[in-house]
Amino acid sequence: MNGNVEKRCIEIGKYIRDTGSTVRQAGSVFGVSKSTVHIDVTKRLYEIDRILFDQVNKVLQENKAERHIRGGNATKKKYQDLKKI
């Protein structure tokens, strides 16, 4: 595996672990797609650093459990904003 890819996986993993950000948020910070971030932290990071992988996986599971709430809040805000117009 390319050294730059390994470095990116570790940096993204540490960022997600430390900030609790979503895959999309991490992708925008690092300038890569959400698909790349997902592959980096779920497949490649497992092979590189298992401890960091476990920590990141915990954050990803929390985000997955909360995503329906965030989506509902976004929809609610959208329609509230439309009412104001």
Side-chain angles (χ1 to χ4, degrees):
M1 193 177 312
N2 189 345
N4 292 335
V5 174
E6 289 181 6
K7 182 179 175 185
R8 182 184 70 212
C9 292
I10 292 170
E11 288 178 0
I12 292 173
K14 287 180 180 178
Y15 177 78
I16 291 174
R17 176 194 65 195
D18 295 342
T19 64
S21 70
T22 64
V23 171
R24 287 179 188 257
Q25 291 167 339
S28 66
V29 168
F30 287 91
V32 294
S33 70
K34 66 180 181 71
S35 300
T36 301
V37 171
H38 189 265
I39 290 171
D40 283 353
V41 298
T42 58
K43 292 189 167 91
R44 294 180 180 138
L45 192 59
Y46 181 79
E47 297 172 5
I48 298 169
D49 186 344
R50 297 257 173 109
I51 294 170
L52 181 59
F53 168 81
D54 290 337
Q55 295 167 345
V56 170
N57 196 38
K58 183 178 177 184
V59 173
L60 293 178
Q61 293 304 318
E62 289 172 8
N63 287 342
K64 186 176 181 182
E66 296 170 354
R67 71 180 171 191
H68 67 282
I69 296 168
R70 284 193 301 270
N73 289 338
T75 302
K76 180 179 177 181
K77 183 182 181 318
K78 173 185 170 182
Y79 287 105
Q80 286 177 339
D81 291 347
L82 286 175
K83 274 186 171 179
K84 292 178 184 175
I85 296 177

XYZ file of all heavy atoms in Angstrom:
683
model
N 0.851 -1.177 0.000
C 0.000 0.000 0.000
C 0.894 1.236 0.000
O 1.927 1.272 0.647
C -0.909 -0.024 1.229
C -2.027 0.975 1.154
S -3.161 0.908 2.548
C -3.521 -0.801 2.693
N 0.479 2.220 -0.730
C 1.225 3.463 -0.861
C 1.335 4.166 0.491
O 0.387 4.237 1.247
C 0.509 4.360 -1.878
C 1.304 5.578 -2.260
O 2.272 5.939 -1.590
N 0.908 6.208 -3.347
N 2.528 4.724 0.782
C 2.754 5.416 2.046
C 1.837 6.604 2.241
O 1.398 6.908 3.352
N 1.529 7.327 1.155
C 0.629 8.477 1.267
C -0.778 8.050 1.644
O -1.461 8.747 2.382
C 0.603 9.270 -0.046
C 1.937 9.958 -0.320
O 2.698 10.241 0.596
N 2.203 10.210 -1.582
N -1.205 6.924 1.132
C -2.543 6.416 1.453
C -2.600 6.029 2.926
O -3.568 6.351 3.625
C -2.916 5.217 0.545
C -4.233 4.603 0.985
C -2.984 5.653 -0.903
N -1.558 5.363 3.409
C -1.517 4.983 4.822
C -1.551 6.213 5.712
O -2.276 6.254 6.706
C -0.267 4.163 5.117
C -0.302 2.773 4.536
C 0.949 1.976 4.857
O 1.802 2.463 5.626
O 1.060 0.861 4.349
N -0.783 7.223 5.348
C -0.737 8.461 6.126
C -2.109 9.130 6.136
O -2.583 9.588 7.175
C 0.313 9.404 5.534
C 0.481 10.688 6.293
C 1.547 11.563 5.655
C 1.615 12.911 6.351
N 2.538 13.819 5.691
N -2.767 9.163 4.962
C -4.101 9.767 4.874
C -5.098 9.001 5.734
O -5.905 9.603 6.449
C -4.570 9.786 3.410
C -5.938 10.453 3.244
C -6.434 10.373 1.832
N -6.778 8.992 1.504
C -6.654 8.457 0.302
N -6.203 9.165 -0.712
N -6.985 7.200 0.083
N -5.035 7.686 5.710
C -5.949 6.870 6.522
C -5.795 7.191 7.999
O -6.785 7.356 8.721
C -5.677 5.387 6.304
S -6.083 4.776 4.670
N -4.562 7.293 8.451
C -4.304 7.579 9.860
C -4.760 8.982 10.215
O -5.395 9.203 11.252
C -2.813 7.360 10.184
C -2.489 5.864 10.085
C -2.459 7.902 11.560
C -1.027 5.532 10.144
N -4.477 9.957 9.351
C -4.893 11.334 9.626
C -6.413 11.461 9.674
O -6.960 12.103 10.575
C -4.326 12.285 8.566
C -2.843 12.514 8.687
C -2.302 13.413 7.593
O -3.068 13.877 6.724
O -1.083 13.650 7.610
N -7.093 10.846 8.716
C -8.553 10.897 8.701
C -9.120 10.182 9.926
O -10.052 10.670 10.571
C -9.120 10.296 7.394
C -8.767 11.184 6.208
C -10.628 10.117 7.488
C -9.131 10.604 4.853
N -8.545 9.030 10.260
C -8.998 8.293 11.433
C -8.855 9.092 12.711
O -9.775 9.149 13.532
N -7.714 9.740 12.879
C -7.501 10.565 14.072
C -8.468 11.741 14.098
O -8.982 12.109 15.154
C -6.063 11.068 14.127
C -5.070 9.981 14.482
C -3.657 10.521 14.518
C -2.657 9.430 14.883
N -1.277 9.940 14.880
N -8.728 12.327 12.932
C -9.655 13.463 12.855
C -11.063 13.035 13.272
O -11.707 13.698 14.078
C -9.664 14.042 11.439
C -10.639 15.176 11.267
C -10.326 16.452 11.728
C -11.870 14.983 10.660
C -11.221 17.503 11.596
C -12.767 16.019 10.510
C -12.435 17.277 10.974
O -13.330 18.315 10.844
N -11.532 11.923 12.744
C -12.871 11.437 13.080
C -12.943 11.075 14.562
O -13.907 11.407 15.248
C -13.272 10.247 12.190
C -13.488 10.726 10.751
C -14.522 9.552 12.722
C -13.749 9.616 9.761
N -11.918 10.416 15.058
C -11.890 10.035 16.477
C -11.930 11.268 17.387
O -12.683 11.306 18.349
C -10.630 9.225 16.768
C -10.467 8.857 18.235
C -9.096 8.376 18.567
N -8.138 9.474 18.384
C -6.824 9.298 18.328
N -6.313 8.097 18.410
N -6.024 10.326 18.166
N -11.138 12.274 17.041
C -11.008 13.443 17.908
C -12.195 14.400 17.826
O -12.542 15.045 18.810
C -9.721 14.203 17.587
C -8.477 13.381 17.890
O -8.581 12.390 18.647
O -7.396 13.723 17.363
N -12.808 14.509 16.644
C -13.887 15.480 16.465
C -15.274 14.861 16.472
O -16.258 15.566 16.646
C -13.719 16.254 15.147
O -13.827 15.343 14.051
C -12.397 16.989 15.106
N -15.361 13.557 16.239
C -16.667 12.910 16.149
C -17.395 13.265 14.870
O -18.614 13.138 14.789
N -16.654 13.698 13.868
C -17.275 14.141 12.617
C -17.821 12.969 11.813
O -17.475 11.809 12.047
C -16.274 14.919 11.772
O -15.288 14.051 11.268
N -18.662 13.300 10.851
C -19.219 12.296 9.961
C -18.249 12.042 8.811
O -17.277 12.774 8.630
C -20.564 12.760 9.378
O -20.339 13.916 8.577
C -21.565 13.069 10.476
N -18.526 11.018 8.034
C -17.700 10.693 6.884
C -17.719 11.852 5.879
O -16.686 12.226 5.323
C -18.183 9.378 6.229
C -17.493 9.119 4.922
C -17.953 8.212 7.179
N -18.882 12.437 5.668
C -18.986 13.574 4.736
C -18.174 14.770 5.216
O -17.497 15.429 4.435
C -20.441 13.995 4.551
C -21.245 13.023 3.728
C -22.692 13.510 3.623
N -23.530 12.518 3.008
C -23.939 12.582 1.748
N -23.593 13.573 0.992
N -24.698 11.631 1.257
N -18.263 15.078 6.504
C -17.511 16.208 7.044
C -16.007 15.968 6.915
O -15.262 16.871 6.535
C -17.878 16.433 8.520
C -19.278 16.946 8.718
C -19.731 16.876 10.162
O -19.178 16.108 10.962
N -20.739 17.663 10.505
N -15.562 14.773 7.219
C -14.136 14.448 7.098
C -13.690 14.532 5.644
O -12.599 15.025 5.348
C -13.858 13.058 7.655
N -14.545 14.091 4.727
C -14.211 14.164 3.308
C -14.019 15.584 2.847
O -13.090 15.893 2.081
N -14.861 16.490 3.301
C -14.733 17.879 2.874
C -13.489 18.528 3.483
O -12.841 19.350 2.843
C -15.984 18.684 3.223
O -16.135 18.800 4.612
N -13.128 18.152 4.699
C -11.930 18.711 5.333
C -10.669 18.231 4.612
O -9.747 19.018 4.374
C -11.872 18.317 6.833
C -10.517 18.626 7.432
C -12.973 19.027 7.595
N -10.628 16.967 4.232
C -9.433 16.402 3.607
C -9.461 16.457 2.083
O -8.501 16.056 1.425
C -9.221 14.962 4.080
C -8.745 14.885 5.499
C -9.649 14.792 6.546
C -7.402 14.939 5.801
C -9.225 14.739 7.858
C -6.955 14.885 7.110
C -7.878 14.790 8.146
N -10.546 16.931 1.513
C -10.619 17.093 0.067
C -10.730 15.795 -0.699
O -10.229 15.672 -1.821
N -11.378 14.800 -0.100
C -11.623 13.530 -0.779
C -13.106 13.200 -0.665
O -13.822 13.785 0.144
C -10.767 12.377 -0.183
C -9.293 12.610 -0.438
C -11.031 12.202 1.289
N -13.557 12.242 -1.456
C -14.974 11.891 -1.443
C -15.323 11.096 -0.191
O -14.455 10.511 0.467
C -15.322 11.067 -2.682
O -14.740 9.777 -2.589
N -16.616 11.062 0.108
C -17.061 10.299 1.271
C -16.791 8.811 1.062
O -16.506 8.092 2.027
C -18.537 10.554 1.570
C -19.509 10.058 0.534
C -20.936 10.372 0.942
C -21.934 9.880 -0.056
N -22.081 8.438 -0.090
N -16.830 8.361 -0.171
C -16.534 6.957 -0.456
C -15.086 6.621 -0.122
O -14.793 5.565 0.449
C -16.802 6.651 -1.928
O -18.142 6.891 -2.241
N -14.184 7.531 -0.461
C -12.772 7.329 -0.154
C -12.550 7.313 1.349
O -11.830 6.453 1.869
C -11.915 8.438 -0.806
O -12.121 8.400 -2.210
C -10.447 8.257 -0.491
N -13.176 8.237 2.061
C -13.049 8.275 3.519
C -13.569 6.976 4.109
O -12.934 6.370 4.973
C -13.802 9.476 4.120
C -13.842 9.391 5.637
C -13.182 10.780 3.682
N -14.705 6.520 3.636
C -15.308 5.296 4.165
C -14.388 4.098 3.950
O -14.169 3.295 4.868
C -16.670 5.057 3.520
C -17.425 3.948 4.151
N -17.392 2.664 3.667
C -18.212 3.907 5.255
C -18.141 1.894 4.437
N -18.641 2.621 5.406
N -13.839 3.963 2.760
C -12.929 2.852 2.482
C -11.673 2.970 3.342
O -11.186 1.982 3.894
C -12.572 2.799 0.984
C -13.792 2.356 0.182
C -11.394 1.862 0.731
C -13.625 2.480 -1.319
N -11.151 4.199 3.468
C -9.942 4.407 4.267
C -10.137 3.982 5.711
O -9.276 3.327 6.291
C -9.521 5.884 4.227
C -8.828 6.270 2.931
O -8.549 5.385 2.103
O -8.566 7.475 2.751
N -11.256 4.366 6.320
C -11.426 4.115 7.760
C -12.081 2.775 8.084
O -12.043 2.344 9.229
C -12.185 5.267 8.463
C -11.407 6.554 8.360
C -13.584 5.422 7.948
N -12.667 2.112 7.104
C -13.278 0.813 7.399
C -12.457 -0.364 6.904
O -12.453 -1.423 7.534
C -14.689 0.693 6.797
O -14.615 0.878 5.389
C -15.633 1.695 7.417
N -11.752 -0.208 5.815
C -10.982 -1.330 5.261
C -9.479 -1.138 5.454
O -8.799 -1.979 6.032
C -11.309 -1.499 3.789
C -12.726 -1.963 3.558
C -12.950 -2.333 2.121
C -14.245 -3.072 1.962
N -15.389 -2.324 1.680
N -8.962 -0.027 4.970
C -7.505 0.173 5.008
C -6.995 0.392 6.423
O -5.934 -0.126 6.789
C -7.129 1.363 4.129
C -7.388 1.115 2.658
C -7.011 2.303 1.818
N -7.279 2.009 0.408
C -7.820 2.862 -0.432
N -8.118 4.087 -0.040
N -8.036 2.516 -1.679
N -7.715 1.156 7.225
C -7.268 1.442 8.583
C -7.222 0.174 9.433
O -6.380 0.032 10.312
C -8.173 2.493 9.233
C -7.679 3.107 10.531
C -6.328 3.789 10.327
C -8.679 4.106 11.076
N -8.088 -0.781 9.136
C -8.108 -2.056 9.851
C -6.764 -2.768 9.708
O -6.268 -3.377 10.652
C -9.240 -2.931 9.318
C -9.372 -4.264 9.999
C -9.997 -4.369 11.234
C -8.866 -5.419 9.414
C -10.127 -5.591 11.870
C -8.988 -6.644 10.045
C -9.611 -6.725 11.267
O -9.726 -7.933 11.905
N -6.186 -2.681 8.525
C -4.904 -3.338 8.259
C -3.727 -2.541 8.811
O -2.683 -3.106 9.108
C -4.722 -3.540 6.758
C -5.759 -4.443 6.136
C -5.684 -4.469 4.627
O -4.753 -3.847 4.068
O -6.540 -5.105 3.997
N -3.892 -1.227 8.945
C -2.779 -0.355 9.345
C -2.677 -0.228 10.858
O -1.598 -0.378 11.437
C -2.950 1.045 8.708
C -2.908 0.933 7.187
C -1.884 1.996 9.201
C -3.327 2.196 6.460
N -3.803 0.088 11.520
C -3.787 0.375 12.961
C -5.114 -0.080 13.565
O -6.115 0.624 13.494
C -3.577 1.880 13.181
C -3.393 2.257 14.637
O -3.711 1.436 15.517
O -2.944 3.387 14.886
N -5.110 -1.258 14.165
C -6.351 -1.843 14.690
C -6.924 -1.043 15.855
O -8.136 -0.950 16.010
C -6.121 -3.282 15.132
C -5.734 -4.202 14.011
C -6.893 -5.064 13.586
N -6.553 -5.821 12.400
C -6.338 -7.121 12.368
N -6.436 -7.818 13.461
N -6.045 -7.723 11.244
N -6.069 -0.473 16.681
C -6.560 0.295 17.835
C -7.296 1.537 17.365
O -8.408 1.835 17.817
C -5.396 0.655 18.782
C -4.823 -0.626 19.391
C -5.857 1.613 19.877
C -3.534 -0.425 20.153
N -6.688 2.270 16.440
C -7.335 3.460 15.888
C -8.601 3.064 15.141
O -9.623 3.747 15.237
C -6.376 4.215 14.964
C -6.903 5.495 14.321
C -7.333 6.497 15.383
C -5.836 6.109 13.412
N -8.560 1.944 14.429
C -9.745 1.451 13.723
C -10.902 1.239 14.689
O -12.033 1.648 14.408
C -9.431 0.142 12.990
C -10.651 -0.566 12.486
C -11.261 -0.177 11.308
C -11.222 -1.607 13.204
C -12.403 -0.813 10.844
C -12.358 -2.248 12.752
C -12.944 -1.851 11.568
N -10.636 0.611 15.826
C -11.693 0.363 16.808
C -12.280 1.667 17.337
O -13.494 1.789 17.520
C -11.169 -0.482 17.970
C -10.882 -1.918 17.566
O -11.473 -2.386 16.568
O -10.061 -2.561 18.245
N -11.418 2.656 17.575
C -11.884 3.946 18.075
C -12.739 4.660 17.033
O -13.790 5.224 17.359
C -10.684 4.815 18.462
C -9.896 4.259 19.628
C -8.559 4.936 19.815
O -8.072 5.634 18.932
N -7.949 4.731 20.971
N -12.298 4.639 15.779
C -13.046 5.293 14.698
C -14.360 4.564 14.463
O -15.401 5.186 14.255
C -12.200 5.349 13.404
C -13.029 5.802 12.224
C -11.003 6.259 13.595
N -14.327 3.254 14.505
C -15.531 2.460 14.273
C -16.607 2.775 15.306
O -17.793 2.821 14.992
C -15.192 0.972 14.283
C -16.289 0.140 13.676
O -16.921 0.534 12.706
N -16.517 -1.017 14.260
N -16.185 3.023 16.542
C -17.134 3.396 17.594
C -17.833 4.704 17.245
O -19.054 4.829 17.375
C -16.409 3.521 18.930
C -17.304 3.828 20.090
C -16.524 3.883 21.387
C -17.450 4.270 22.521
N -16.736 4.422 23.786
N -17.067 5.700 16.769
C -17.643 6.988 16.369
C -18.581 6.801 15.184
O -19.681 7.370 15.147
C -16.534 8.009 16.027
C -17.120 9.286 15.451
C -15.696 8.315 17.251
N -18.175 5.998 14.205
C -19.015 5.772 13.026
C -20.331 5.096 13.404
O -21.384 5.424 12.840
C -18.266 4.927 11.983
C -17.055 5.582 11.329
C -16.393 4.614 10.357
C -17.428 6.869 10.626
N -20.293 4.175 14.344
C -21.520 3.506 14.781
C -22.456 4.487 15.491
O -23.668 4.432 15.305
C -21.193 2.314 15.688
C -20.473 1.185 14.979
C -21.229 0.664 13.775
O -22.439 0.489 13.801
N -20.508 0.422 12.688
N -21.882 5.398 16.283
C -22.703 6.427 16.940
C -23.350 7.329 15.902
O -24.530 7.669 16.001
C -21.849 7.258 17.895
C -21.414 6.521 19.130
C -20.416 7.298 19.969
O -20.165 8.490 19.670
O -19.874 6.716 20.916
N -22.555 7.736 14.897
C -23.095 8.590 13.836
C -24.200 7.880 13.069
O -25.208 8.494 12.708
C -21.985 9.018 12.872
C -21.062 10.048 13.473
O -21.394 10.699 14.451
N -19.886 10.185 12.885
N -24.011 6.600 12.827
C -25.027 5.838 12.102
C -26.323 5.755 12.904
O -27.419 5.852 12.351
C -24.495 4.432 11.801
C -25.407 3.615 10.926
C -24.773 2.283 10.581
C -25.664 1.474 9.687
N -25.082 0.161 9.375
N -26.194 5.599 14.211
C -27.382 5.514 15.062
C -28.124 6.846 15.134
O -29.331 6.874 15.336
C -26.985 5.068 16.464
N -27.416 7.953 14.953
C -28.014 9.279 15.075
C -28.429 9.891 13.740
O -29.055 10.947 13.726
C -27.021 10.228 15.752
C -26.680 9.845 17.159
C -25.527 10.654 17.727
O -24.910 11.439 16.968
O -25.224 10.498 18.914
N -28.097 9.268 12.634
C -28.308 9.924 11.344
C -29.771 10.198 11.029
O -30.095 11.187 10.388
C -27.642 9.156 10.220
C -28.289 7.844 9.869
C -27.544 7.168 8.756
N -28.053 5.823 8.569
C -27.477 4.925 7.827
N -26.374 5.217 7.197
N -27.997 3.726 7.712
N -30.673 9.350 11.471
C -32.091 9.593 11.200
C -32.567 10.844 11.931
O -33.444 11.554 11.453
C -32.936 8.368 11.550
C -32.991 8.049 13.008
N -31.961 7.420 13.681
C -33.945 8.295 13.928
C -32.295 7.285 14.952
N -33.489 7.805 15.140
N -31.983 11.121 13.077
C -32.356 12.327 13.829
C -31.849 13.572 13.095
O -32.577 14.554 12.945
C -31.793 12.261 15.258
C -32.443 11.094 16.006
C -32.005 13.577 15.994
C -31.777 10.752 17.326
N -30.595 13.527 12.649
C -30.034 14.667 11.909
C -30.808 14.917 10.623
O -31.067 16.062 10.250
C -28.554 14.421 11.590
C -27.641 14.617 12.773
C -26.182 14.682 12.350
N -25.733 13.492 11.651
C -25.214 12.430 12.241
N -25.076 12.397 13.541
N -24.829 11.391 11.526
N -31.198 13.843 9.949
C -31.967 13.993 8.714
C -33.332 14.605 8.972
O -33.797 15.468 8.222
N -33.962 14.184 10.042
C -35.264 14.747 10.397
C -35.170 16.215 10.752
O -36.021 17.027 10.359
N -34.115 16.586 11.476
C -33.920 17.991 11.828
C -33.643 18.843 10.594
O -34.116 19.974 10.502
C -32.781 18.143 12.841
C -33.154 17.634 14.213
O -34.330 17.536 14.544
N -32.164 17.313 15.019
N -32.888 18.301 9.652
C -32.600 19.043 8.417
C -33.875 19.267 7.613
O -34.102 20.364 7.074
C -31.573 18.289 7.583
N -34.724 18.250 7.532
C -35.986 18.387 6.812
C -36.892 19.396 7.507
O -37.523 20.240 6.854
C -36.690 17.022 6.710
O -35.815 16.106 6.054
C -37.991 17.131 5.947
N -36.949 19.343 8.815
C -37.765 20.282 9.583
C -37.300 21.712 9.330
O -38.119 22.604 9.079
C -37.660 19.954 11.072
C -38.462 20.872 11.972
C -38.303 20.446 13.424
C -39.032 21.402 14.340
N -38.877 21.019 15.751
N -35.996 21.932 9.364
C -35.448 23.270 9.127
C -35.750 23.743 7.709
O -36.098 24.901 7.486
C -33.940 23.279 9.368
C -33.313 24.644 9.200
C -31.813 24.581 9.416
C -31.124 25.905 9.278
N -31.514 26.758 8.230
N -35.665 22.843 6.758
C -35.944 23.179 5.355
C -37.361 23.743 5.214
O -37.571 24.786 4.592
C -35.778 21.948 4.481
C -36.198 22.124 3.045
C -36.107 20.813 2.286
C -36.738 20.917 0.922
N -36.700 19.646 0.203
N -38.327 23.053 5.798
C -39.712 23.492 5.657
C -40.024 24.723 6.503
O -40.866 25.527 6.130
C -40.679 22.341 5.943
C -40.666 21.354 4.798
C -40.035 20.133 4.898
C -41.253 21.683 3.585
C -40.000 19.244 3.830
C -41.226 20.812 2.512
C -40.596 19.590 2.637
O -40.561 18.732 1.566
N -39.337 24.891 7.613
C -39.495 26.126 8.388
C -38.961 27.310 7.603
O -39.557 28.379 7.626
C -38.783 26.005 9.732
C -39.503 25.124 10.715
C -38.725 24.957 12.015
O -37.527 25.167 12.063
N -39.435 24.545 13.057
N -37.854 27.132 6.924
C -37.275 28.201 6.114
C -38.191 28.544 4.934
O -38.298 29.713 4.546
C -35.888 27.831 5.625
C -34.857 27.777 6.739
O -35.153 28.270 7.853
O -33.754 27.209 6.516
N -38.845 27.534 4.370
C -39.758 27.789 3.267
C -40.991 28.581 3.709
O -41.532 29.379 2.950
C -40.203 26.484 2.617
C -39.175 25.772 1.732
C -39.718 24.438 1.264
C -38.790 26.641 0.546
N -41.432 28.361 4.938
C -42.578 29.091 5.460
C -42.286 30.580 5.621
O -43.152 31.422 5.483
C -42.989 28.542 6.831
C -43.916 27.371 6.784
C -44.357 27.040 8.201
C -45.451 26.014 8.211
N -45.865 25.683 9.569
N -41.027 30.902 5.900
C -40.628 32.294 6.137
C -40.648 33.119 4.858
O -40.786 34.321 4.908
C -39.227 32.347 6.743
C -39.178 31.790 8.149
C -37.768 31.806 8.691
C -37.723 31.151 10.054
N -36.339 31.049 10.553
N -40.544 32.476 3.736
C -40.480 33.182 2.446
C -41.828 33.634 1.995
O -42.865 33.362 2.262
C -39.821 32.307 1.361
C -38.391 32.043 1.736
C -39.915 32.968 0.013
C -37.645 31.130 0.790
